[in-house]
Amino acid sequence: MTQRPIFRQSPTDPVFVQDPYPAYERMRALGPAVFWEDYGMWCLTGFEAVGALFRDRRFGREVLHVASRAELGWPEIPAHLAPFYAVEAHSLLEREPPVHTRLRGLVNRAFVSRAVERLRPRIAALAEEAIDGFEAEGRVDLLARFATPIPVIVIAELLGVPAAMSDRLLDWSHRMVAMYQFNRTRAVEDSAVAATEDFVAFMRGYVEERRSRPADDLISHLIAAETAGERLTTDELVTTCILVLNAGHEATVHAIGNGVKALLETGVDTAAAFATPAGTETLCEELLRYDAPLHMFTRYALEDVEIAGARLNRGDEIGLLLGAANRDPARFADPARLLPDRADVASLSFGAGIHFCIGAPLARLELQAALPVLFRRLPGLRLAAPPVYADRYHFHGLERLDVAW
């Protein structure tokens, strides 16, 4: 594989962690496709190129449906990681057609059966309750007390899992998604596997309970979902519930945190911006573009292919840099500025193509319902300490968000 142009930037470098956007601009200046040496793979930074590759069927989230590990020269999965990847094997996020088509159709039907819009009053109420709990304190870590509990409770209630389980669900989720971080350690792997086994045991028991006592929740709808005589297997049900819980809060927590940080740092007139539903929707889309909670997604080349000057062999991985694409000056005027009324703001924060985030409507709704409540209740909201991003690339979210009013 040709390894030019080469870009060197450790994803764990403290300067990059706190502000990756200057590095993306240096990368963009090298060309449409750049070999990121630290990852050992080609990456795309442009909005049009990233969007096109999301939809390019020569690339996929998996490659083992077209080639064996031996053909690709891949080692076998280490025994200590087998439980984690056994769950991944049934994930909607990790499969390609025809398996993906069947899974997505079944899960879509379940989501449609409980319209997301019905959750708007509940999300607003949770925002009010969270603020009631800390308003008298005058200062708080907003990530822990507002941005985290709302999405976790919403997704638990949507699935039908007791909200009292939220702390345990959060712990399992954080340990599992740590597997996707750059330069993970054996300790991280062992922790992720242990969390996976605990999560699977819990969800398997809960699915069986719902089989005998169905309710108006997502687990029950997933159990009942059927297309052309096919239903989800128990393993697929368990993995889907874990995926929904993990993806359903992880990104939204940081979308809220990053969004509030951006609003406070840039001095947006939130009263005016949130004055109408249309203005609220536009601003929330701009926040998702401006500082997305997920900065990289990857695809495998399903065949030998050349794209943007990069030659890839079947099985090679390519990085799609969402954070860079969302600030592409060829797509957005003045992309480094937060513009509350930006026209045509559609970003790539939720991906595109057949793997477009199935939870995007819920994530958008949570921003649109929670943020106006926060700024209405606490009009004097301000940063009480410099916000610090967590060293968890390719995720991009804060460790904490200290605010006062």
Side-chain angles (χ1 to χ4, degrees), residues 129-387:
E129 291 169 16
I131 297 167
D132 288 343
F134 61 69
E135 185 176 16
E137 298 173 29
R139 175 174 173 149
V140 75
D141 172 9
L142 204 70
L143 199 73
R145 302 284 291 278
F146 186 83
T148 296
I150 294 172
V152 174
I153 292 171
V154 167
I155 205 67
E157 291 181 349
L158 182 65
L159 270 168
V161 177
M165 285 284 299
S166 60
D167 286 348
R168 197 179 309 175
L169 295 172
L170 264 178
D171 177 61
W172 289 335
S173 178
H174 287 155
R175 288 158 60 194
M176 286 184 72
V177 300
M179 281 286 285
Y180 303 109
Q181 293 171 209
F182 180 78
N183 235 6
R184 72 189 189 216
T185 64
R186 176 62 187 258
V188 166
E189 293 177 344
D190 289 344
S191 176
V193 168
T196 300
E197 292 176 326
D198 288 343
F199 212 156
V200 167
F202 168 75
M203 286 309 313
R204 194 174 293 279
Y206 217 78
V207 165
E208 291 310 313
E209 180 182 328
R210 277 291 180 264
R211 286 193 195 279
S212 58
R213 293 193 306 110
D216 184 21
D217 57 43
L218 186 56
I219 292 177
S220 299
H221 292 313
L222 285 169
I223 291 169
E226 185 173 0
T227 300
E230 289 198 75
R231 292 191 175 190
L232 293 165
T233 66
T234 298
D235 286 342
E236 289 170 343
L237 270 166
V238 168
T239 294
T240 298
C241 291
I242 289 174
L243 173 64
V244 168
L245 278 164
N246 287 352
H249 82 271
E250 192 78 27
T252 309
V253 167
H254 295 300
I256 293 173
N258 294 0
V260 173
K261 168 187 177 288
L263 291 170
L264 296 180
E265 285 184 337
T266 57
V268 168
D269 182 349
T270 53
F274 289 131
T276 65
T280 298
E281 183 176 332
T282 298
L283 175 54
C284 289
E285 289 300 308
E286 171 70 344
L287 292 173
L288 286 165
R289 179 202 71 82
Y290 180 77
D291 201 22
L294 181 68
H295 275 212
M296 178 195 282
F297 232 112
T298 58
R299 292 289 187 271
Y300 290 107
L302 303 183
E303 60 189 65
D304 295 349
V305 63
E306 181 173 337
I307 186 161
R311 298 185 66 85
L312 294 101
N313 298 320
R314 183 175 62 171
D316 285 345
E317 213 169 3
I318 186 167
L320 310 183
L321 300 184
L322 311 186
N326 283 345
R327 293 202 182 189
D328 183 355
R331 172 63 179 81
F332 299 103
D334 211 354
R337 284 188 62 201
L338 177 66
L339 302 178
D341 56 353
R342 184 183 292 275
D344 189 23
V345 73
S347 71
L348 289 169
S349 296
F350 294 115
I354 66 168
H355 286 288
F356 181 80
C357 177
I358 202 167
L362 178 58
R364 286 179 162 127
L365 181 63
E366 288 177 302
L367 285 174
Q368 294 167 15
L371 292 186
V373 172
L374 176 67
F375 284 94
R376 172 178 55 78
R377 288 283 302 273
L378 304 173
L381 198 66
R382 66 186 186 278
L383 293 173

Side-chain angles (χ1 to χ4, degrees), residues 25 120 123 267 342-343 350:
E25 291 311 306
R120 188 181 293 271
I123 296 166
R342 184 183 292 275
F350 294 115

Side-chain angles (χ1 to χ4, degrees), residues 69-80:
R69 301 185 76 90
E71 287 174 314
L72 296 170
W74 291 5
E76 291 301 314
I77 292 173
H80 74 282

